């Protein structure tokens, strides 16, 4: 164990046993055999990977060749029909971190560091030029930046309830998006549950990247008492997620679609919430995203047996992306 501390301790992460025990019970029941390899990745932060999403608005000479020298390759197959040409994302199987760029007022950043699975909700949303888009829970802004790599929306409304995180979101947008495109973006600090009533039938696409139990970070909670409290309050998250989804449905125009995503494996916050929406909103239909999942199956490992409108990315060694749940729904009337 001492050796472990020396070699792995530089990441200064300690597993919170109370969370691990809770996950052990819940995820063994929900994921079966798949849980042990997921647990192996989640509890081994030294093998976590990251990807770089290049900023199409800031071209840095030499960046792509320097990435190639360090073993980075395009993270998605170029031939995917829903992948816009401007969308460039790099990853490598080896762990380690490419340096993050500091925020410098007036200077655009060249890339955004992220978990490659967080791009799947954005790809599933399939934003087209000129569409009105709402990112309901937007801070720190990684998916908002990714949406703008794919298309240029008509209106783009980024909302974040938390004051501090909302400032972080504004800073991200400033760091990645140039004039005059930045003027299309509206940042608000509303409770996402109210937006459906405030702007009914206004949007073509809504992303609900919901607050959830963040399995990766919860496992390394510094305070076990606080971790226990959060585990006990987990049920309230499902109810908040359902209300955010209902608001998103209201905010959609008939014919519009929404993508729901979380970074937890928990069924109560994933399929159960989506099933509740499908069972309680008559004007909502599931949208098949299995084609997209097949298209990226080299890069990601998915839980088998999911329905066609949903997917769950399971981290595994060498493809340590996720956890990420994605579901797509359409408002029919
Ligand atoms: N989409 C973001 C990204 O890609 O960078 C990450 C979003 S994070 C998973 C969920 C966010 O929802 C948090 O920033 C949280 O503060 C925010 N949130 C929590 N409750 C909310 C509410 N009622 N309305 C809107 N946002 C909320």
């Amino acid at each position: 164990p001492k050796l472990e501390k020396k070699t792995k301790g530089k990441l200064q992460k300690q597993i919170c046993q109370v969370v691990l025990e809770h996950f052990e019970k819940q995820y063994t029941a929900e994921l079966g055999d798949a849980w042990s390899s997921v647990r192996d990745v989640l509890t081994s932060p030294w093998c976590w990977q990251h990807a770089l999403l290049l900023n199409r608005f800031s071209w840095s000479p030499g960046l792509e060749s320097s990435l190639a020298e360090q073993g980075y390759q395009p993270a998605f197959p170029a031939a995917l029909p829903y992948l816009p040409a401007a969308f460039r994302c790099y990853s490598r199987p080896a762990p380690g971190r490419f340096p993050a760029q500091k925020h410098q007022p007036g200077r655009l950043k060249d890339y955004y560091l992220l978990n490659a699975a967080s791009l799947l909700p954005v790809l599933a949303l399939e934003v087209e030029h000129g569409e009105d888009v709402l990112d309901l829970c937007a801070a720190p802004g990684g998916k908002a930046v990714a949406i703008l790599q794919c298309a240029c929306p008509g209106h783009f409304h980024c909302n974040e309830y938390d004051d501090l995180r909302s400032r972080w979101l504004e800073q991200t947008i400033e760091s990645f998006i140039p004039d005059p495109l930045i003027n299309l973006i509206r940042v608000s600090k509303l409770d996402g549950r109210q937006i459906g009533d405030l702007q009914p039938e206004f949007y073509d696409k809504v992303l609900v990247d919901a607050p959830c139990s963040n399995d990766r970070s919860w496992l390394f909670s510094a305070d076990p008492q606080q971790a226990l409290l959060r585990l006990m309050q987990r049920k309230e998250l499902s109810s908040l997620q359902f209300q955010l989804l209902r608001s998103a449905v209201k905010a959609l125009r008939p014919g519009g679609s929404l993508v729901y995503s979380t970074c937890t494996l928990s069924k109560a916050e994933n399929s159960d919430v989506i099933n509740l929406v499908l069972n309680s909103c008559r004007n909502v239909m599931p949208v098949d995203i299995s084609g997209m999942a097949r298209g990226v199956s080299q890069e990601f490992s998915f839980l088998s047996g999911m329905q066609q409108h949903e997917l769950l990315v399971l981290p595994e060694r060498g493809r340590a992306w996720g956890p990420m749940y994605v579901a797509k729904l359409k408002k029919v009337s």
Side-chain angles (χ1 to χ4, degrees):
K2 260 198 175 154
L3 184 70
E4 257 184 30
K5 257 200 163 171
K6 254 193 181 167
T7 52
K8 299 163 186 172
K10 66 175 179 217
L11 288 144
Q12 292 179 332
K13 283 177 183 277
Q14 291 277 328
I15 292 165
C16 182
Q17 285 305 319
V18 58
V19 176
L20 183 58
E21 280 161 28
H22 186 95
F23 283 3
E24 191 74 43
K25 267 197 214 129
Q26 183 184 350
Y27 296 150
T28 303
E30 290 179 7
L31 305 175
D33 293 343
W35 165 241
S36 62
S37 53
V38 173
R39 183 191 51 206
D40 172 48
V41 175
L42 293 184
T43 55
S44 313
W46 53 91
C47 75
W48 291 2
Q49 295 163 248
H50 67 277
L52 284 92
L53 176 66
L54 302 201
N55 186 9
R56 67 171 165 135
F57 306 111
S58 167
W59 185 73
S60 154
L63 174 60
E64 282 175 279
S65 54
S66 138
L67 284 169
E69 275 163 25
Q70 295 186 45
Y72 284 85
Q73 288 174 351
F76 295 91
L80 292 179
Y82 45 82
L83 206 63
F87 193 88
R88 286 171 304 155
C89 178
Y90 284 82
S91 68
R92 64 173 185 187
R97 243 186 129 73
F98 204 78
Q101 289 181 301
K102 288 221 173 78
H103 175 74
Q104 285 179 5
R107 230 206 107 179
L108 292 181
K109 292 189 182 180
D110 304 321
Y111 55 87
Y112 192 94
L113 293 170
L114 39 63
N115 182 321
S118 15
L119 295 172
L120 296 179
V122 174
L123 296 181
L125 199 59
E126 294 181 290
V127 173
E128 288 180 21
H129 294 302
E131 285 186 328
D132 295 325
V133 181
L134 167 63
D135 185 353
L136 196 64
C137 308
K143 295 185 188 68
V145 167
I147 286 171
L148 291 163
Q149 304 305 312
C150 297
C152 181
H155 293 99
F156 190 24
H157 179 178
C158 295
N159 179 67
E160 168 57 49
Y161 198 21
D162 183 277
D163 220 28
L164 252 176
R165 289 178 67 87
S166 165
R167 261 178 270 158
W168 189 5
L169 168 67
E170 277 174 357
Q171 201 175 73
T172 305
I173 293 172
E174 258 175 52
S175 305
F176 284 88
I177 311 305
D179 281 338
L181 189 59
I182 202 161
N183 301 321
L184 298 176
I185 306 171
R186 173 185 160 214
V187 176
S188 66
K189 293 186 211 171
L190 298 163
D191 182 339
R193 290 171 286 190
Q194 296 171 347
I195 293 186
D197 287 327
L198 294 172
Q199 290 188 293
E201 304 202 346
F202 189 84
Y203 298 98
D204 301 298
K205 300 277 164 70
V206 180
L207 177 63
V208 186
D209 187 35
C212 66
S213 359
N214 183 327
D215 293 345
R216 268 187 203 247
S217 72
W218 281 28
L219 262 175
F220 294 92
S221 309
D223 179 348
Q225 290 302 323
Q226 202 193 27
L228 197 62
L229 191 70
R230 280 203 296 207
L231 286 169
M232 281 158 49
Q233 291 170 343
R234 238 175 155 193
K235 274 205 189 94
E236 289 163 26
L237 278 172
S238 312
S239 149
L240 170 61
Q241 290 153 349
F242 175 67
Q243 291 173 60
L244 287 167
L245 273 166
R246 248 193 353 203
S247 167
V249 170
K250 277 191 192 165
L252 277 176
R253 294 188 176 121
S257 50
L258 71 83
V259 168
Y260 174 74
S261 53
T262 73
C263 55
T264 178
L265 300 161
S266 178
K267 187 168 164 285
E269 296 175 48
N270 295 338
S271 306
D272 290 357
V273 178
I274 288 296
N275 287 338
L276 194 58
V277 173
L278 286 169
N279 292 332
S280 60
C281 306
R282 283 219 191 129
N283 55 349
V284 173
M285 301 281 290
V287 178
D288 187 348
I289 53 169
S290 61
M292 180 185 91
R294 271 195 304 280
V296 295
S297 59
Q298 292 282 311
E299 286 72 27
F300 299 95
S301 151
F302 297 110
L303 179 68
S304 57
M306 299 292 278
Q307 301 207 56
Q308 291 187 328
H309 62 273
E310 58 181 359
L311 58 84
L312 180 63
V313 180
L314 300 179
E316 64 172 33
R317 289 222 178 206
R319 297 193 292 179
W321 314 117
M324 177 66 50
Y325 174 81
V326 182
K328 186 166 184 179
L329 305 176
K330 187 179 176 97
K331 180 169 177 176
V332 283
S333 60

